[in-house]
């Protein structure tokens, strides 16, 4: 499967990979006549860098947040059902305990996304390259598939992009922060993404820094600086009060 394909490629010095496969996963189910239930799934593996090095800047390695963003794009193209992520069980030893998550559509778990556990990556795959995987239940996605494709005309007016980094308790999920920012940013906040999670020098233990990129735009007019500042201030106030977070300068 994917791991065999991955090993085949890295043995030939091809490390920047984005591969996927569609197939069936088999589960034991006493309600089935055969005692086995077949579930169509799509699985993907990403490794190395997000893109090859370029004159405009250094390449960035793939990570949990990059793969999570791809999952969000894919699922939102297929369905309008609310997509969310929640921490994965500690019983799952194949994935990084702090860089993995269950994927949910509404209340139903439809898959997982995460970085391969460092022990497996180093001792089984025998590589120091980052490796990220995700799997999605196609049966559920098809059940909630859009009945038609909807298009949104890109805004003719320039947007405003800004970055915010918060220092929070390491046990707080980045997803919770992301959802709070989305709900407190107001109608002009068109997109939010996580671009960095950091623990180490200058960040006191047991804290972490989570950095977000916010994009504000309007389809009707050019935004005023005061509007963006007001929305930014509300985000900072809400996150700070709800999670005792500190804005990182």
């Amino acid at each position: 499967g994917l791991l065999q394909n991955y090993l085949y490629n890295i043995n030939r010095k091809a490390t920047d990979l984005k591969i996927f496969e569609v197939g069936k996963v088999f589960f034991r189910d006493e309600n089935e006549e055969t005692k086995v239930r077949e579930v169509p799934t799509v699985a993907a593996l990403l490794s190395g860098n997000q893109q090859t090095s370029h004159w405009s800047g250094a390449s960035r390695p793939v990570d949990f947040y990059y793969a999570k963003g791809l999952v969000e794009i894919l699922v939102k193209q297929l369905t309008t059902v609310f997509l969310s992520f929640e921490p994965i069980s500690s019983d799952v030893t194949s994935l990084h305990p702090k860089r993995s998550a269950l994927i949910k559509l509404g209340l139903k778990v439809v898959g997982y996304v995460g970085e391969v556990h460092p022990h497996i990556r180093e001792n089984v795959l025998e590589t120091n390259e980052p490796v990220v995987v995700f799997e999605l239940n196609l049966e559920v996605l098809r059940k909630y598939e859009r009945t038609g494709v909807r298009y949104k005309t890109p805004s003719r007016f320039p947007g405003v992009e800004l970055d915010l980094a918060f220092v929070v308790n390491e046990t707080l999920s980045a997803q919770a922060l992301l959802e709070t920012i989305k709900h407190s940013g107001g109608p002009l906040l068109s997109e939010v993404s996580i671009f960095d999670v950091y623990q180490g020098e200058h960040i006191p233990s047991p804290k972490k820094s989570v950095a977000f990129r916010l994009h504000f735009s309007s389809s009707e007019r050019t935004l005023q600086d005061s509007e963006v500042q007001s929305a930014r201030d509300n985000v900072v106030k809400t996150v700070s009060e709800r999670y005792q977070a500190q804005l990182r300068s």
Side-chain angles (χ1 to χ4, degrees):
L2 288 176
L3 289 180
Q4 290 178 324
N5 197 326
Y6 170 74
L7 292 171
Y8 177 89
N9 279 278
I10 62 169
N11 287 334
R12 288 156 180 78
K13 310 303 181 184
T15 57
D16 297 344
L17 301 174
K18 298 178 181 65
I19 54 180
F20 76 95
E21 64 181 12
V22 176
K24 293 181 179 179
V25 175
F26 299 89
F27 297 94
R28 185 172 181 80
D29 189 339
E30 296 298 330
N31 295 321
E32 296 287 338
E33 183 178 350
T34 61
K35 306 301 181 183
V36 175
R37 181 165 57 93
E38 299 180 6
V39 178
T41 64
V42 57
L45 181 149
L46 317 169
S47 70
N49 294 311
Q50 296 178 20
Q51 60 184 25
T52 54
S53 298
H54 191 264
W55 62 267
S56 62
S59 57
R60 289 173 60 91
V62 299
D63 59 13
F64 166 68
Y65 297 99
Y66 176 69
K68 176 176 171 288
L70 294 181
V71 169
E72 289 177 324
I73 292 171
L74 174 62
V75 172
K76 288 177 181 178
Q77 291 295 317
L78 299 174
T79 179
T80 57
V81 177
F82 179 70
L83 172 69
S84 64
F85 300 84
E86 68 176 35
I88 208 161
S89 169
S90 58
D91 296 336
V92 180
T93 58
S94 58
L95 298 177
H96 193 298
K98 295 184 178 180
R99 290 176 172 260
S100 58
L102 294 175
I103 304 167
K104 298 181 71 175
L105 271 186
L107 299 176
K108 189 172 183 63
V109 174
V110 296
Y112 63 83
V113 55
E115 297 180 19
V116 171
H117 196 288
H119 178 78
I120 294 176
R121 189 190 69 212
E122 295 166 8
N123 297 284
V124 178
L125 300 180
E126 298 182 342
T127 180
N128 291 320
E129 296 287 340
V131 181
V132 194
V133 294
F134 68 79
E135 184 176 285
L136 285 167
N137 183 326
L138 289 178
E139 191 172 66
V140 177
L141 285 175
R142 287 168 180 162
K143 181 178 179 180
Y144 297 112
E145 189 174 3
R146 290 178 185 268
T147 55
V149 179
R150 294 183 297 178
Y151 298 91
K152 183 178 180 181
T153 304
S155 174
R156 297 183 293 111
F157 302 96
V160 177
E161 195 169 81
L162 58 86
D163 296 340
L164 293 175
F166 295 98
V167 177
V168 298
N169 194 297
E170 67 176 357
T171 59
L172 179 63
S173 74
Q175 180 67 23
L177 283 168
L178 183 70
E179 294 300 329
T180 299
I181 291 173
K182 286 181 178 178
H183 291 124
S184 61
L188 298 178
L189 180 60
S190 56
E191 186 177 346
V192 187
S193 61
I194 300 168
F195 71 87
D196 185 54
V197 177
Y198 173 74
Q199 286 180 283
E201 190 176 1
H202 305 307
I203 304 296
S205 180
K207 303 284 187 178
K208 65 182 175 182
S209 169
V210 186
F212 300 87
R213 183 152 293 145
L214 287 67
H215 186 83
F216 296 89
S217 65
S218 170
S219 60
E220 301 173 348
R221 55 189 168 76
T222 300
L223 298 180
Q224 301 294 316
D225 290 344
S226 59
E227 293 178 294
V228 177
Q229 184 64 42
S230 177
R232 174 198 179 278
D233 291 347
N234 193 57
V235 167
V236 173
K237 181 176 183 291
T238 303
V239 171
S240 299
E241 292 179 350
R242 185 169 299 178
Y243 303 111
Q244 292 76 54
Q246 293 180 317
L247 185 64
R248 190 179 177 195
S249 57

